[in-house]
Amino acid sequence: MKLSKSQIETFNRDGFLFLPELFSEAEINILKAELPKIFSMDREEIERDESSEEIRGAFAMHEYSTAFAALLRHPRLLEPAHQILGSDVYCHQYKIITKQAFGHLDFPWHQDFASWHAHDGMPEPKAMNYAVFLDDVNEFNGPIAFIPGSHQQGELSSIPEALPGITPLYTMSVDTIKALAEENGIVSPKGAAGSAVFFHSCMAHTSAPNISPWPRNIVYLTCNRTDNYIRSPTRPHYYASRTFEPIRALPDNCLSKWGHDQSPAH
Ligand SMILES: O=C(O)CCC(=O)C(=O)O
C-alpha cells in the first residue's frame, strides 16, 4: 500500500497520519485472539505492574507469536515506512501497550527519540512508529494525544523519569508542552479497532489512564532506517533490537494466510 503525495505532506507537516480502519475486523480478530495466550506467558518480555499484577504490555511479540510476526512484515505498514523514511528499515522495538479497563497506566509527555537516543544510542531521529488499534479507541479509554507539528522542533529538552516497571522515560517539562500546545493545540486520533496512526520519532505525545470499562490495546512498531542503527544499547534486546536486517514485506493477505499457524512469517 502506497501513501498518496498529500498523505506524505500531512505526515511531514503534522508529524502524524491517521488511517481509519487500515485493517479489517477479521484481521484484527486474528491478532486479538493471541492476547490471552501472550499475557499469560511467563516471559521477561511480558510487562506487569509489580504490586497489582496489572498487565502493561508485551515486547518483541514476533519472537513468540506467528500472527504478530506477520503484522511486523505487513506491506500496509512497511511500504509507507519506506516512503516516509526513504530507505530500508528494521524493527527497533515492537510492543503492545495495554490499558486495562479502569487501569492505572499512563505516559507523561515525551518524544520517543529522546529515550532511544539516550538509552540505545540511536544517532538521529530517522525512525518512526506505527500504532495499530486492537480495540476501539475513544476519549475515555486512554487515547494517545499529540501536539501536531512538534516533531519539526527536533529533539527538545527532557529528563529521565523513573516510572514503575518501565526503564526511565525521558519526559518533557510543562513549560515546553505549554509553549508547543499554545502554538499548535493538542489532538487525539480516535477510531475503530483496525485504525492506525503513523507518527514521527520527535512527536510530543502523552496518554492518560483508562477511566472506562473498555480495554485499550495498541500495537506499536518502531521502524528505524538501517543506516541509523543503534550504536550503544544499554537495554535488553526486546526494548532495543540488535538485529538490523531490513524488514521484507509479506503479501497483503499475510494475516489471514499465516496468522494462525507456523509460517514464513518467521
Ligand atoms: O500507548 C500509549 O498510551 C502511549 C505509549 C507511549 O507513548 C510509548 O510507549 O512511548
Side-chain angles (χ1 to χ4, degrees), residues 80-236:
H82 290 155
Q83 288 177 278
I84 289 169
L85 295 175
S87 152
D88 272 339
V89 295
Y90 74 92
C91 167
H92 172 64
Q93 193 181 76
Y94 192 37
K95 66 190 176 197
I96 303 166
I97 298 287
T98 296
K99 289 195 177 169
Q100 295 187 350
F102 305 114
H104 299 98
L105 184 61
D106 64 356
F107 289 83
W109 281 103
H110 64 284
Q111 294 174 307
D112 286 338
F113 178 69
S115 293
W116 301 337
H117 188 53
H119 293 309
D120 309 328
M122 186 181 287
E124 291 187 69
K126 292 179 175 172
M128 60 175 278
N129 289 312
Y130 324 115
V132 178
F133 298 177
L134 297 184
D135 295 298
D136 295 350
V137 174
N138 57 49
E139 60 267 56
F140 309 112
N141 64 358
I144 327 165
F146 297 122
I147 299 181
S150 50
H151 68 300
Q152 292 182 15
Q153 313 273 335
E155 186 181 0
L156 294 164
S157 162
S158 59
I159 48 158
E161 190 176 334
L163 299 176
I166 310 177
T167 49
L169 184 69
Y170 277 73
T171 61
M172 301 165 81
S173 72
V174 289
D175 288 341
T176 305
I177 295 305
K178 188 164 182 276
L180 291 170
E182 277 177 359
E183 199 171 332
N184 289 313
I186 299 176
V187 299
S188 192
K190 297 176 285 286
S195 302
V197 193
F198 299 173
F199 61 100
H200 192 281
S201 53
C202 285
M203 167 61 64
H205 63 286
T206 188
S207 73
N210 183 350
I211 57 164
S212 81
W214 307 297
R216 195 228 68 176
N217 288 280
I218 297 182
V219 186
Y220 293 91
L221 169 57
T222 303
C223 281
N224 188 18
R225 280 180 63 118
T226 46
D227 59 0
N228 194 43
Y229 65 92
I230 57 171
R231 305 300 204 260
S232 46
T234 59
R235 307 191 285 181

